[in-house]
Amino acid sequence: MKKGFIIYFLIAILPGYACHAQENLPADKNATRETVQLFRNLKKLSQKGYLFGHQDDLAYGVEWRYKENRSDVLESAGDYPGIYGWDLGGIEKGDVNLDGVPFKKMKQFIRQGYERGGVITISWHLASPFGAPAGAWDTTKGSVASVNPGGSNHVLYKEWLDRVAGFLSSLKGSKGEMIPVLFRPFHEHTGGWFWWGKTHCTPFEYQTLWRFTYYYLTEEKKLHNLLWVYNTGGEFNNAEEFLERYPGDDKCDALSFDTYQYGDPAKEDWFAVQTKTKLNIIGKIAEEKNKLFALAETGYEAIPYPEWWTKTLVDAIGENKIAWVLVWRNHGLMADTRKMHYYAPYHGQVSEADFRKFYELERTFFEKDAKKENLYQ
Ligand code: BMA
């Protein structure tokens, strides 16, 4: 208990103000060479354009699962994504993630994307610490306090982090180097749908959760291949609101938010207008703090508007110098709702032609363009 309290004091109450970002370095002063270079190169890249990303891209798509080298993005745009999103939800207890992707396969896919010159980002829809069946979507108040140092689930949480660390430390390139990861834990925290959301914990509790996680993975577990991505939902209207739960410049490398298209973009432009406005807010903060910034999750479910890519998404990003934009997963038909759930086109999908136009734009970087940038050197 005493040791727990001292750690708690050091990591949570005394914020560090080391400003590595000012020297163009990531928050972790022991970050590996490839990780430092990725941070710097993404900043350079963002002056010219942004990586296009897709969640679970190599694992499955609309009407296929686990087929060597397949990718809906490849089959529609003619190239793999420049950034690959994966999710560790489920690693707390098992070998398969919450959407059915075995971690063994995920590791191989991560390596394939990295070896081809792509970038990896990882989120974590982790279980409820109280074991509630809703998992990440359980909203029991006090969950965050319970996993923080001194809390009733703190030991359990450390066991989960050990499993996360086991996975992240096993990601290695062909020369044995650690594969850098843009790690985006406790995402969309300005909403109320996850147990770490705004309505279920105080800003201080959230910051403590982040700072402890950072401390445990970088210091105790010695993971130096992570760039830390702070991520909100769209529930902010100014810098102050965006930064309300920010854990500090010494614990973050990138600023981002998630937002999805609803309704009919041919008739209403709220998505493009609001996304651009919010990216403007984040972009200014990122510039001041010398951090990366991104549209970490977006998309239009089943993309019924054929010109969504060049008409809506391009407009939504505007002149903002984001480093990446990522669309969510191509599950296909959902068994429960009987609805199609996918965010990137597949071959034959109505927005395919427009997606190719999007691919051809100077500012969009898919995998071939990413490779030319030599992002790890
Ligand atoms: C949501 C949906 C869910 C999925 C979750 C985590 O947006 O795609 O089906 O389980 O993300 O990936």
Side-chain angles (χ1 to χ4, degrees):
M1 186 62 199
K2 205 171 163 203
K3 190 179 167 213
F5 184 77
I6 294 167
I7 292 172
Y8 178 68
F9 183 79
L10 288 175
I11 58 157
I13 301 176
L14 271 187
Y17 289 103
C19 276
H20 294 288
Q22 304 308 335
E23 303 151 32
N24 220 3
L25 287 168
D28 177 7
K29 59 184 185 317
N30 295 314
T32 65
R33 197 180 64 88
E34 290 77 12
T35 309
V36 171
Q37 288 313 99
L38 179 64
F39 178 74
R40 291 179 172 162
N41 288 326
L42 282 180
K43 259 208 227 144
K44 267 194 230 155
L45 183 144
S46 66
Q47 298 306 308
K48 302 186 279 190
Y50 45 87
L51 295 170
F52 175 79
H54 187 212
Q55 187 73 7
D56 286 352
D57 186 77
L58 302 173
Y60 56 85
V62 176
E63 292 182 356
W64 62 270
R65 293 204 141 225
Y66 309 115
K67 294 273 161 48
E68 197 72 6
N69 300 323
R70 280 199 74 172
S71 148
D72 280 348
V73 168
L74 174 71
E75 289 164 27
S76 52
D79 192 4
Y80 287 108
I83 178 165
Y84 296 90
W86 299 101
D87 196 280
L88 293 183
I91 205 161
E92 313 82 66
K93 288 172 280 210
D95 302 328
V96 171
N97 96 340
L98 78 167
D99 297 317
V101 183
F103 291 110
K104 251 194 187 156
K105 282 196 191 297
M106 193 186 288
K107 198 188 294 188
Q108 290 164 359
F109 294 136
I110 287 175
R111 195 166 169 182
Q112 283 169 17
Y114 167 76
E115 291 293 341
R116 286 196 299 252
V119 174
I120 310 302
T121 179
I122 293 184
S123 50
W124 185 21
H125 284 81
L126 66 167
S128 146
F130 292 115
W137 290 268
D138 177 58
T139 53
T140 305
K141 278 204 181 8
S143 295
V144 170
S146 87
V147 298
N148 278 341
S152 60
N153 289 315
H154 186 58
V155 172
L156 173 73
Y157 182 59
K158 283 204 284 193
E159 285 166 17
W160 291 358
L161 287 180
D162 289 343
R163 294 178 67 104
V164 166
F167 182 83
L168 294 174
S169 63
S170 74
L171 302 175
K172 293 203 173 129
S174 58
K175 298 182 195 81
E177 79 283 16
M178 303 281 279
I179 298 178
V181 169
L182 291 158
F183 187 46
R184 183 171 66 98
F186 310 118
H187 65 303
E188 299 177 3
H189 65 264
T190 48
W193 44 92
F194 295 132
W195 58 256
W196 53 87
K198 187 178 168 134
T199 33
H200 321 304
C201 62
T202 65
F204 181 70
E205 284 166 347
Y206 181 84
Q207 287 157 343
T208 303
L209 173 64
W210 185 287
R211 297 178 69 83
F212 174 76
T213 305
Y214 179 99
Y215 157 80
Y216 195 76
L217 293 182
T218 57
E219 303 301 328
E220 297 260 332
K221 293 285 152 184
K222 312 220 175 317
L223 283 176
H224 299 301
N225 57 331
L226 305 181
L227 293 174
W228 291 73
V229 185
Y230 177 77
N231 176 262
T232 70
E235 303 76 16
F236 67 94
N237 293 303
N238 51 51
E240 204 186 345
E241 285 171 13
F242 178 76
L243 291 173
E244 196 199 338
R245 282 154 196 255
Y246 183 61
D249 291 347
D250 61 325
K251 301 274 183 288
C252 281
D253 299 296
L255 311 176
S256 66
F257 92 109
D258 294 356
T259 183
Y260 283 83
Q261 169 83 62
Y262 297 98
D264 183 352
K267 297 203 186 105
E268 330 139 355
D269 63 358
W270 67 267
F271 171 82
V273 172
Q274 287 192 24
T275 304
K276 204 180 328 190
T277 307
K278 289 178 203 284
L279 286 177
N280 279 331
I281 294 170
I282 303 178
K284 282 203 191 92
I285 307 169
E287 199 176 333
E288 273 164 28
K289 295 185 176 297
N290 205 8
K291 305 285 182 192
L292 299 164
F293 81 112
L295 183 48
E297 260 185 58
T298 192
Y300 187 17
E301 192 179 54
I303 331 151
Y305 175 45
E307 294 179 294
W308 190 74
W309 304 98
T310 63
K311 292 276 186 321
T312 312
L313 184 59
V314 164
D315 185 24
I317 294 169
E319 296 303 310
N320 287 296
K321 294 186 164 52
I322 56 169
W324 76 94
V325 55
L326 179 137
V327 298
W328 206 238
R329 62 197 201 96
N330 275 19
H331 178 89
L333 193 66
M334 291 295 254
D336 50 351
T337 58
R338 308 301 300 162
K339 263 177 50 184
M340 285 299 261
H341 184 60
Y342 65 85
Y343 296 89
Y346 51 89
H347 183 49
Q349 203 273 340
V350 290
S351 72
E352 184 183 18
D354 189 60
F355 190 52
R356 279 184 175 267
K357 279 194 203 158
F358 176 75
Y359 172 75
E360 296 296 342
L361 297 176
E362 217 165 289
R363 285 189 69 203
T364 56
F365 283 63
F366 285 59
E367 198 166 78
K368 284 181 200 147
D369 287 342
K371 188 179 173 59
K372 283 188 212 142
E373 295 294 307
N374 270 325
L375 294 169
Y376 303 101
Q377 279 169 27

